Amino acid sequence: MNENFDRAPGAGRSRNFPADPGLMTGAGDADSKTPLFNQREPLRQPRTTPPFTENSIGSVSDMPDGDYRRQSRPPQSPNSNNTSASRGGNDVDSMIKSSKLSANAPEFVPLGFNQYDDSAYYDDSDAYYGEPTLADTVTDFLGHLSSSPGSFESDVEYITGILNSWVTTEELLKELVELIYTQSTSIPNFAYTGARLCNYLSHHLIITPASGNFRQLLLIRCQTEFQQRDAAVRGEPETQKKFHSYVLFLGELYLHLEIKSGQGPPVRARVLLGALKDLLISLFSNPVDANLICAVKLLKLTGSVLDDAWKESGESHMGELIKRIEDIVLDATCSRDVRQMLLKLVELRSSDWGRVQVAAAASSATPDNDPNYFMNEPTFYTEDGTPFTAADPDYAEKYQEMLDRQDYFHDVYGENGNEVYDFEDEMEPEIEEAFEHFCLESERKRQQ
């Protein structure tokens, strides 16, 4: 077996380089072919280890080019070999002191593994860097809800419990509001889940500083963006895109944010009702395609609820908005597709936002006042297979024929579906003769 066999890491990678005369024994010695220092390829340093200092680097003049590139160390004089070994211990100690790795890390967490562990934080190099920040925790939670929105009901209580342990000051509460607002207006399709989360946190976060609770601080943050609406609808495309995300998030917030009242069920935030009207007016004031598409999306999302709320208060804001849309269709230079979207929206509103009207009461319903009068009527079939319903003019006659046919078969088959024979009646002579012949033939075959 090879004498250099070793089970230590890096075993078997020793290399014999050309001997240096200054490091060799006499030519007659038995070990004259072996260098004084057995050169081995150093193990790869961890990614989190700081770069080596000059004093900690050994000689690289004897290394092959491949090893030199892999180590990426600056070239040193051959004389430095004599001092590197003595300084190695001090360099190791300095690296340990400057390292960010921690022996107290509770467990190894693979990169990309999403878990709710607020006791340790790992970066892309799997190195432990101490406690995570509130931003790290909230970003992980929102990323999880964004990728798995179906788990909202089962996870939101746990998430709220963690946030209650985190958010203990007014500054942290404001940071939480900003984080959720930013994520809800920047992550695609997260506005719905973000609005639901805001509603839940507004009722279950414990902290209520003097500056306002979670819901009040959230509305203040939305007010800041609302005041810039007129400039945003005329801004650069990127500015308009951010503003449109804000508009749709505010629509979701109006649908989901509930305010508990002392009497009766929770109500929606009425301040958002007026804000949405003003936002729609601002969008229509600059009728470019992007603004019009955003307005259509908002009205499809909240149109029926806004219309009902304004009707209850005796206001005609929805009618005014529809009139603006009709004027834009006639005058504006929007694209054909956007014009078609606006016309479809006007048609949707004329059908009461696609809601089915309540049918007339059963006692007063007639084919004249209820278009669904015959909707749930069964379909029957005549003897030749022709279908008919109660709406058919000949329904009574065809239905009676069907009943007569059922009575005939009821007499033949009985209630349980079995054919009924009246044994008291004599069989026809031909039938009787055929029956006797059948019985004799069966008996003959049985005896064979």
Side-chain angles (χ1 to χ4, degrees):
M1 185 176 291
N2 190 348
E3 295 178 358
N4 293 330
F5 178 76
D6 187 10
R7 294 186 180 275
R13 289 191 287 182
S14 60
R15 300 180 182 179
N16 294 330
F17 299 98
D20 190 323
L23 299 178
M24 299 293 295
T25 60
D29 292 339
D31 297 330
S32 61
K33 296 183 180 180
T34 304
L36 180 62
F37 296 101
N38 186 17
Q39 298 286 345
R40 287 187 178 182
E41 178 185 358
L43 297 178
R44 179 183 63 82
Q45 298 296 328
R47 286 180 294 176
T48 54
T49 302
F52 284 95
T53 61
E54 273 191 20
N55 294 334
S56 65
I57 305 300
S59 174
V60 296
S61 59
D62 295 333
M63 280 189 177
D65 290 341
D67 291 335
Y68 173 74
R69 288 192 298 270
R70 183 159 51 246
Q71 297 302 317
S72 299
R73 298 179 179 180
Q76 298 289 329
S77 171
N79 296 330
S80 63
N81 282 332
N82 298 327
T83 60
S84 61
S86 62
R87 297 177 181 175
N90 295 332
D91 294 332
V92 171
D93 293 338
S94 64
M95 284 191 297
I96 293 175
K97 293 179 180 179
S98 62
S99 175
K100 296 181 180 180
L101 296 175
S102 172
N104 297 324
E107 59 183 338
F108 171 75
V109 180
L111 177 63
F113 182 77
N114 190 5
Q115 68 172 9
Y116 302 140
D117 181 9
D118 59 348
S119 61
Y121 175 68
Y122 297 83
D123 71 351
D124 291 345
S125 64
D126 298 331
Y128 178 69
Y129 282 91
E131 295 296 328
T133 63
L134 176 62
D136 299 326
T137 304
V138 174
T139 301
D140 288 344
F141 287 158
L142 298 184
H144 169 72
L145 293 178
S146 177
S147 61
S148 305
S151 64
F152 179 87
E153 298 292 343
S154 59
D155 293 343
V156 67
E157 183 177 354
Y158 171 78
I159 293 174
T160 305
I162 296 297
L163 293 179
N164 273 322
S165 64
W166 263 101
V167 183
T168 56
T169 64
E170 179 180 346
E171 289 73 17
L172 289 175
L173 181 60
K174 290 181 179 180
E175 182 182 357
L176 175 64
V177 170
E178 182 64 28
L179 287 169
I180 295 178
Y181 171 84
T182 302
Q183 297 290 330
S184 299
T185 56
S186 60
I187 299 179
N189 302 322
F190 189 69
Y192 168 76
T193 304
R196 295 178 65 195
L197 179 62
C198 289
N199 178 62
Y200 192 90
L201 294 179
S202 68
H203 298 299
H204 295 87
L205 274 183
I206 299 174
I207 182 172
T208 306
S211 59
N213 55 26
F214 176 86
R215 174 176 54 82
Q216 293 168 336
L217 293 177
L218 176 65
L219 294 178
I220 292 174
R221 177 63 182 87
C222 294
Q223 174 71 14
T224 302
E225 200 74 22
F226 174 80
Q227 293 173 348
Q228 304 172 7
R229 64 189 184 279
D230 293 331
V233 296
R234 292 173 172 80
E236 298 295 327
E238 189 63 27
T239 302
Q240 290 185 3
K241 183 178 179 181
K242 292 181 180 179
F243 177 71
H244 298 158
S245 298
Y246 157 75
V247 170
L248 296 178
F249 172 65
L250 208 67
E252 294 284 5
L253 205 59
Y254 176 70
L255 295 178
H256 294 95
L257 188 61
E258 297 177 339
I259 301 177
K260 293 182 179 180
S261 58
Q263 299 176 352
V267 296
R268 292 189 172 93
R270 188 162 184 84
V271 65
L272 297 179
L273 180 64
L276 291 176
K277 175 182 72 69
D278 294 338
L279 289 173
L280 286 167
I281 293 175
S282 296
L283 290 170
F284 290 140
S285 66
N286 185 32
V288 297
D289 284 359
N291 288 337
L292 294 177
I293 292 174
C294 178
V296 170
K297 289 181 178 180
L298 179 62
L299 285 174
K300 283 186 176 181
L301 175 67
T302 63
S304 60
V305 179
L306 296 177
D307 205 355
D308 292 343
W310 286 328
K311 285 179 180 178
E312 290 178 3
S313 59
E315 298 171 330
S316 58
H317 296 314
M318 184 58 69
E320 297 172 359
L321 292 173
I322 295 298
K323 182 65 170 59
R324 278 178 173 265
I325 293 176
E326 294 172 346
D327 294 341
I328 290 173
V329 171
L330 295 175
D331 301 332
T333 58
C334 57
S335 65
R336 184 184 63 178
D337 293 340
V338 173
R339 183 177 286 106
Q340 190 67 21
M341 291 174 61
L342 295 173
L343 291 175
K344 289 291 185 181
L345 181 65
V346 174
E347 181 181 350
L348 181 64
R349 197 258 178 169
S350 64
S351 65
D352 195 21
W353 306 101
R355 292 179 288 193
V356 179
Q357 299 293 332
V358 179
S363 58
S364 60
T366 65
D368 296 329
N369 64 15
D370 186 3
N372 300 324
Y373 184 79
F374 296 111
M375 179 175 291
N376 296 323
E377 291 290 335
T379 300
F380 303 100
Y381 295 88
T382 61
E383 186 176 3
D384 58 356
T386 303
F388 68 95
T389 63
D392 196 302
D394 301 330
Y395 168 76
E397 180 181 353
K398 294 179 180 179
Y399 188 69
Q400 186 60 45
E401 291 178 359
M402 186 187 68
L403 292 178
D404 294 342
R405 189 167 64 254
Q406 288 179 347
D407 290 341
Y408 168 77
F409 285 108
H410 179 272
D411 294 340
V412 174
Y413 290 98
E415 295 181 356
N416 59 359
N418 296 325
E419 192 170 359
V420 178
Y421 291 99
D422 189 356
F423 293 99
E424 296 181 357
D425 296 337
E426 295 183 357
M427 291 187 292
E428 296 291 334
E430 295 179 357
I431 298 177
E432 184 176 2
E433 181 181 356
F435 180 71
E436 291 178 355
H437 177 73
F438 170 76
C439 292
L440 292 173
E441 188 70 19
S442 299
E443 181 67 19
R444 184 178 61 82
K445 290 182 178 182
R446 186 180 62 81
Q447 292 177 356
Q448 288 180 352

